[in-house]
Amino acid sequence: MRKYLSLPAWLLRAVLAALLPVADGLIHPRPAHAVFFENARVWLNELFLSTGNLTAAFGVDMTVNVLRAVLLVWIALGIVRTVQAARNDEDWQTTARVPILATISIVVGDVITSLIIPSA
């Protein structure tokens, strides 16, 4: 009689196979190919890699990518709140003010950073 793979073991292997790229992304972070603060990230990576400090370069990549993710989630929540306020006939302009000001601040900070840090 043949022995078949039991469902829990099969399911566990499928989940592990699906999570392998996620784990690889956490172990070996890659840039998000984003616009914000890309020059600063590249400059800091080159600075730390030239001194042989791989851990600091890893930390720079992780920090910048986490900040980008937090920014995107925060802006998305601001957009959802603004749309909900507009649907409820509330003052949606007040709700939209903070995410818009934060986005403008980040763009200005990125432009200033690009002026200070030399491009490759």
Side-chain angles (χ1 to χ4, degrees):
M1 194 165 180
R2 292 184 182 170
K3 290 187 175 183
Y4 291 101
L5 190 61
S6 64
L7 181 62
W10 172 82
L11 186 60
L12 179 64
R13 288 185 182 143
V15 169
L16 288 176
L19 291 178
L20 187 62
V22 175
D24 182 51
L26 291 174
I27 295 170
H28 306 289
R30 292 169 194 85
H33 302 291
V35 176
F36 294 131
F37 300 109
E38 184 63 19
N39 288 340
R41 187 197 62 78
V42 168
W43 179 72
L44 284 171
N45 271 347
E46 288 175 0
L47 179 71
F48 288 127
L49 289 176
S50 68
T51 61
N53 195 345
L54 298 175
T55 307
F58 174 80
V60 167
D61 282 342
M62 290 297 292
T63 302
V64 171
N65 287 337
V66 166
L67 288 174
R68 288 174 179 163
V70 168
L71 172 70
L72 288 175
V73 168
W74 187 60
I75 289 174
L77 288 174
I79 291 171
V80 168
R81 288 183 195 150
T82 302
V83 169
Q84 286 178 347
R87 281 186 172 178
N88 294 337
D89 292 329
E90 296 173 3
D91 186 19
W92 63 270
Q93 293 172 348
T94 304
T95 309
R97 187 173 293 143
V98 175
I100 289 173
L101 288 175
T103 305
I104 291 171
S105 303
I106 290 170
V107 168
V108 169
D110 188 38
V111 169
I112 291 172
T113 303
S114 298
L115 292 174
I116 295 170
I117 295 175
S119 59

